[in-house]
């Protein structure tokens, strides 16, 4: 059974005139790595809020259709129960931090999981280390920089190692190298532990190579859904403002100029290699 | 002009966030400040409008020491958009949010109306005029924060992470807008991790690490220097990386633009065929 399944899901915020998204039907299988993208305001965050029950339990409003996550109908289970299965990293990290120290923030979710003491300790230390904030663990979460706060938010979800991790623009405050390293960690959790990942991003260059599937939303609907190498080539994606990685843009420009290069690249290395081959064999 | 003279800054909890920063930004410049999380970027730019005052050293804005003027006075000249938009939004509607400062600065009704309409349009927010900022998406909130500052047309603009939450089309609008401001002689300082955005804008780039400036120069030189990049926890622009891998067969190592890269590669093919 799919780990996330939505059928004809339509949601309207309280006092909103029109739904934030309508008739979304979506199936995500266990172990997938999904990249969810689309223009600002298209409904990505709203959809994420349905995955962990914040909608409808916290936001209210009107949710129509059906959604199950990790076998739970989210409308029928409280947020704290869903949280055992689904971790959400908020778009705005500050809204997720509240403890007196960074270490306590990261440990908070774990306390309700009923893990043995030393397993808990091990997980907290691991999460602090892979996000590069171990040295800051005794500081208050509001006494650090924006990127450091975002790492705390990420660490507290990683520590839980839930079945599904949903990250809403988790790298927007991160310096590029840290973003790369943290995405690498998330990729390992996905490939080694089979944790399902839903990653919302506007900047697709760093994350493209980890995803098996890209879902593009526009104006409250899913308009494209498929392998990254296919979706990125769709005209519509570029048109609505999807941040197509530059390697793909260069690849398309070269193709259009008549250069016969093989394979759609998802990283600079892949593109360099095929340019090299094209030059050697001059397959024009 | 912004003149930062050997500035040190220590937070009340004892963290030394700036450790001897000197920097001059002249009128009409476009500067991007980049570098590792916690490097001190936000701390530094908060000195430009007097939100923070140096623990040691001085910051002069148009020859006025920021220690001797209030933030309110400086604000007319130095507009500041926070990294996190929620730190600056408080009004009930987007329109109120944008007109708030204009009212405070004593603009007349007609001008306020014009400015608000202009800012709504520039940031693609017209349809949200009567909406509460708290009922908007993350990217939309960031644009409201930008609009509310752009509206009063400050001479110096400080934008902390302006591209957060923005899709490609919004970023392109923002880029065009910044270039236009620059053209009119306005100073624009952005703090950003968005390396591809900087590669497209080609501003002057200042790199920070551990409370100090470690590099300062044209984007094309700074962002394509693998050593500087590694030292500041950045990564090379995608296109630079593609061509750097082909350096051995004679491609230049300082290209950031897709079209420039295409022309170089195509030229090379033509040359190989001869
Ligand atoms: N709390 C809320 N109440 C009412 N409307 C909301 C609320 N939050 C978001 N909206 C609206 O719902 C729509 C979808 O917003 P959402 O936050 O899901 O967009 P998004 O795709 O995440 O955008 P971004 O990339 O800018 O974060 C937008 O039109 C937005 O204005
Ligand atoms: N309010 C605060 N109280 C105490 N220390 C702080 C505070 N804000 C930031 N710091 C610390 O000061 C240093 C510089 O932080 P600053 O916010 O200037 O970094 P930054 O370069 O903007 O980072 P980021 O890219 O993550 O936004 C960091 O070590 C940070 O932990
Ligand atoms: Mg969002
Ligand atoms: Mg900052």
């Amino acid at each position: 059974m799919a780990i996330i399944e939505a059928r004809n899901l339509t949601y309207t915020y309280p006092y909103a005139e029109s739904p934030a998204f309508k008739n979304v039907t979506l199936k995500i299988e266990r172990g997938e790595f999904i990249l969810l993208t689309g223009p600002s305001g298209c409904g990505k965050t709203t959809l994420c809020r349905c995955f962990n029950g914040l909608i409808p339990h916290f936001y209210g409003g009107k949710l129509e259709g059906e959604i199950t996550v990790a076998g739970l109908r989210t409308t029928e289970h409280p947020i704290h129960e869903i949280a055992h299965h689904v971790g959400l990293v908020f778009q705005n990290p500050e809204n997720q931090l509240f403890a007196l120290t960074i270490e306590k923030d990261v440990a908070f979710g774990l306390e309700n999981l009923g893990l043995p003491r030393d397993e808990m300790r091990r997980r907290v230390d691991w999460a602090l280390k892979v996000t590069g904030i171990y040295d800051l663990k005794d500081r208050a979460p509001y006494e650090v920089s924006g990127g450091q706060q975002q790492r705390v938010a990420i660490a507290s979800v990683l520590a839980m190692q839930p079945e599904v991790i949903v990250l809403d623009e988790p790298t927007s405050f991160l310096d590029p190298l840290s973003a790369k390293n943290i995405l690498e960690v998330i990729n390992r959790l996905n490939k080694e532990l089979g944790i399902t990942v839903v990653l919302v991003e506007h900047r697709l260059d760093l994350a493209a190579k980890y995803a098996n599937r890209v879902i593009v939303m526009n104006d409250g609907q899913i308009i494209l859904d498929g392998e990254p190498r296919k979706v990125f080539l769709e005209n519509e994606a570029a048109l609505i403002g999807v941040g197509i990685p530059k390697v793909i843009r260069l690849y398309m420009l070269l193709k259009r100029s008549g250069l016969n290069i093989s394979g759609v690249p998802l990283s600079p290395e892949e593109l360099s290699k095929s340019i090299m081959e094209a030059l050697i064999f001059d397959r024009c | 002009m912004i003149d930062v003279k050997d500035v040190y800054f220590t937070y009340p909890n004892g963290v030394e966030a700036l450790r001897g920063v000197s920097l001059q930004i002249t009128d009409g410049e476009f500067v991007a400040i980049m570098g590792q999380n916690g490097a001190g970027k936000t701390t530094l730019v908060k000195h430009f409008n007097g939100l923070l005052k140096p623990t040691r050293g001085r910051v002069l804005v148009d020859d006025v020491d920021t220690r001797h003027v209030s933030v309110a006075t400086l604000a007319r000249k130095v507009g500041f958009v926070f990294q996190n938009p929620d730190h600056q939004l408080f009004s009930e509607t987007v329109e109120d949010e944008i007109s708030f400062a204009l009212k405070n600065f004593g603009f007349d009704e007609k001008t306020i109306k014009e400015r608000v309409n202009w800012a709504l349009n520039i940031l693609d927010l017209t349809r949200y005029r009567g909406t509460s900022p708290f009922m908007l998406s993350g990217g939309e909130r960031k644009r409201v924060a930008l609009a509310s500052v752009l509206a009063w047309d400050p001479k110096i603009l400080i934008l902390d992470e302006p591209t957060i939450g923005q899709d490609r089309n919004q970023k392109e609008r923002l880029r065009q807008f910044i270039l236009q401001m620059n053209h009119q002689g306005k100073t624009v300082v952005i703090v950003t991790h968005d390396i591809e955005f900087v590669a497209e804008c080609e501003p002057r780039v200042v790199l920070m690490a551990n409370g100090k400036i470690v590099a300062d120069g044209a984007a094309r030189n700074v962002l394509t220097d693998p050593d500087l990049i590694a030292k500041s926890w950045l990564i090379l622009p995608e296109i630079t990386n593609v061509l750097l891998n082909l350096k051995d067969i004679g491609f230049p190592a300082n290209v950031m633009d897709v079209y420039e890269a295409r022309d170089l590669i195509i030229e090379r093919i033509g040359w190989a065929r001869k």
Side-chain angles (χ1 to χ4, degrees):
Chain A
M1 200 182 121
I3 191 137
I4 297 180
E5 186 160 4
R7 234 180 305 146
N8 290 324
L9 204 64
T10 299
Y11 176 69
T12 313
Y13 281 103
Y15 311 109
E17 284 162 17
S18 54
F21 59 74
K22 35 197 179 290
N23 277 321
V24 168
T25 294
L26 175 69
K27 230 186 212 179
I28 294 173
E29 300 297 333
R30 196 174 285 276
E32 283 201 272
F33 192 126
I34 308 268
L35 209 49
L36 176 60
T37 191
S40 169
C42 71
K44 304 179 294 295
T45 297
T46 309
L47 190 57
C48 292
R49 287 172 179 158
C50 295
F51 293 160
N52 79 336
L54 280 177
I55 290 177
H57 301 299
F58 178 79
Y59 284 91
K62 194 163 118 201
L63 185 65
E64 296 160 277
E66 269 174 51
I67 174 159
T68 54
V69 180
L72 306 173
R73 275 171 174 261
T74 56
T75 47
E76 288 161 19
H77 297 264
I79 294 175
H80 67 85
E81 192 188 337
I82 303 172
H84 288 194
H85 306 273
V86 187
L88 172 64
V89 178
F90 291 12
Q91 184 166 14
N92 184 347
E94 255 175 54
N95 295 349
Q96 194 163 353
L97 310 176
F98 47 82
L100 286 177
T101 69
I102 285 175
E103 183 175 34
K104 289 202 173 101
D105 245 321
V106 175
F108 177 80
L110 284 179
E111 311 213 328
N112 304 317
L113 286 187
L115 293 172
R117 212 75 213 146
D118 43 329
E119 170 66 5
M120 215 174 106
R121 181 74 268 148
R122 207 183 53 75
R123 290 238 208 130
V124 170
D125 285 352
W126 169 81
L128 289 167
K129 278 181 192 144
V130 295
T131 51
I133 48 173
Y134 189 79
D135 293 340
L136 301 176
K137 69 182 178 5
D138 298 323
R139 283 225 221 143
Y142 49 85
E143 282 182 343
V144 296
S145 77
Q148 290 165 340
Q149 275 179 343
Q150 193 161 42
R151 293 162 191 238
V152 182
I154 296 171
S156 50
V157 169
L158 293 188
M160 302 266 293
Q161 301 193 350
E163 288 162 70
V164 183
I165 299 184
V166 183
L167 306 108
D168 195 352
E169 284 205 58
T171 64
S172 55
F173 290 87
L174 298 183
D175 61 66
L177 192 56
S178 304
K180 196 173 166 204
N181 293 342
I182 290 176
L183 285 176
E184 196 67 58
V185 174
I186 292 166
N187 183 50
R188 279 210 311 274
L189 291 177
N190 171 254
K191 303 294 179 304
E192 287 166 16
L193 303 182
I195 291 176
T196 309
V197 175
V198 179
L199 182 68
V200 176
E201 272 292 353
H202 284 294
R203 296 190 41 201
L204 305 176
D205 43 343
L206 282 181
K209 62 173 182 282
Y210 303 124
N212 66 299
R213 184 171 160 201
V214 177
I215 297 176
V216 182
M217 291 180 74
N218 189 29
D219 199 15
Q221 290 186 311
I222 292 176
I223 59 157
L224 294 167
D225 183 345
E227 289 169 38
R229 290 180 216 269
K230 289 209 177 97
V231 171
F232 290 151
L233 297 186
E234 297 283 346
N235 263 339
E236 203 176 0
L239 224 72
I240 61 167
V242 171
I244 310 289
K246 290 220 171 112
V247 289
I248 301 248
R249 289 174 56 203
L250 179 54
Y251 162 85
M252 296 209 281
L253 285 174
L254 289 171
K255 276 249 164 189
R256 236 173 272 155
S257 307
L259 189 62
N260 189 2
I261 40 180
S262 58
V264 182
L266 289 182
S267 68
E269 290 68 33
E270 286 180 16
L271 183 56
S272 308
K273 197 162 152 273
S274 22
I275 292 173
M276 183 74 122
E277 284 169 7
L279 283 173
I280 291 171
F281 301 114
D282 190 17
R283 298 173 302 188
C284 300
Chain B
M1 181 167 108
I2 301 170
D3 193 0
V4 181
K5 292 174 183 267
D6 200 25
V7 165
Y8 288 75
F9 181 82
T10 306
Y11 280 102
N13 65 352
V15 174
E16 201 179 23
L18 298 178
R19 302 187 294 144
V21 172
S22 293
L23 174 71
Q24 288 193 340
I25 298 174
T26 46
D27 291 347
E29 265 198 290
F30 177 14
V31 181
I33 302 179
M34 307 184 77
Q36 190 180 7
N37 290 136
K41 304 178 296 295
T42 297
T43 308
L44 175 63
V45 294
K46 278 184 174 168
H47 280 78
F48 296 173
N49 74 336
L51 274 175
L52 296 176
K53 316 275 175 174
T55 309
R56 217 168 91 202
R58 297 202 298 159
V59 176
L60 306 177
V61 177
D62 287 347
D63 300 320
V64 177
D65 192 322
T66 58
R67 280 176 306 187
H68 304 142
V69 278
S70 68
V71 180
T73 317
L74 267 178
R76 181 68 189 88
K77 186 181 274 178
V78 189
F80 190 98
V81 178
F82 284 86
Q83 185 164 7
N84 192 333
D86 292 358
H87 292 182
Q88 97 188 58
L89 304 178
F90 52 86
S91 303
E92 275 179 25
T93 69
V94 170
E95 179 162 27
D96 289 351
E97 188 69 55
I98 301 175
S99 42
F100 179 80
L102 295 170
K103 283 183 185 146
N104 268 354
F105 289 132
F107 287 92
D108 63 68
E109 283 291 320
K110 186 166 161 281
T111 314
I112 293 179
K113 215 172 148 199
E114 278 167 16
R115 292 284 181 94
V116 170
N117 289 342
W118 172 82
L120 285 170
N121 180 40
I122 285 281
L123 287 142
D124 195 15
L125 291 165
T126 306
R127 64 188 174 285
Y128 295 126
R129 179 191 289 272
T131 307
S132 156
F134 295 97
M135 290 173 65
L136 296 179
S137 79
E140 289 163 347
R141 271 208 299 281
K142 185 82 199 191
R143 298 211 296 285
V144 176
L146 285 161
S148 65
V149 172
L150 298 187
W152 81 74
D153 196 28
K155 182 181 153 205
I156 300 172
L157 266 177
I158 315 290
L159 314 175
D160 202 346
E161 296 288 355
T163 64
I164 282 193
Q166 304 311 317
D167 58 63
R168 234 206 99 66
N169 293 346
Q170 298 295 352
K171 279 188 207 180
E172 183 53 25
R173 288 170 78 101
L174 189 68
R175 188 177 79 92
Q176 294 293 348
F177 176 78
I178 292 176
L179 296 181
Q180 193 189 326
M181 297 284 288
N182 245 206
H183 211 70
Q184 295 166 6
K186 301 259 161 64
T187 307
V188 182
V189 180
I190 63 173
V191 174
T192 187
H193 294 300
D194 194 337
I195 196 127
E196 295 298 339
F197 183 71
V198 178
E200 281 162 30
C201 297
E202 299 218 30
R204 167 181 168 196
V205 174
V206 172
L207 296 186
M208 290 187 72
N210 299 315
K212 290 187 176 155
I213 290 176
V214 293
D216 184 349
R220 203 182 164 94
N221 299 334
V222 176
L223 294 189
T224 59
D225 182 328
D227 291 338
L228 283 180
I229 289 287
K231 223 164 67 183
S232 329
W233 288 68
L234 301 178
I235 56 176
L236 289 167
E238 294 237 294
I239 298 301
T240 309
N241 205 342
V242 171
L243 292 194
L244 192 68
N245 294 334
L246 300 171
K247 205 174 85 184
D248 289 347
I249 57 168
F251 281 101
N254 66 346
V255 177
M256 303 188 293
D257 180 66
V258 256
Y259 297 99
E260 191 179 343
R262 176 202 53 191
D263 293 348
L264 283 165
I265 294 164
I266 296 301
E267 188 186 326
R268 179 60 182 261
I269 296 271
W271 171 79
R273 278 187 193 148
K274 273 180 209 152

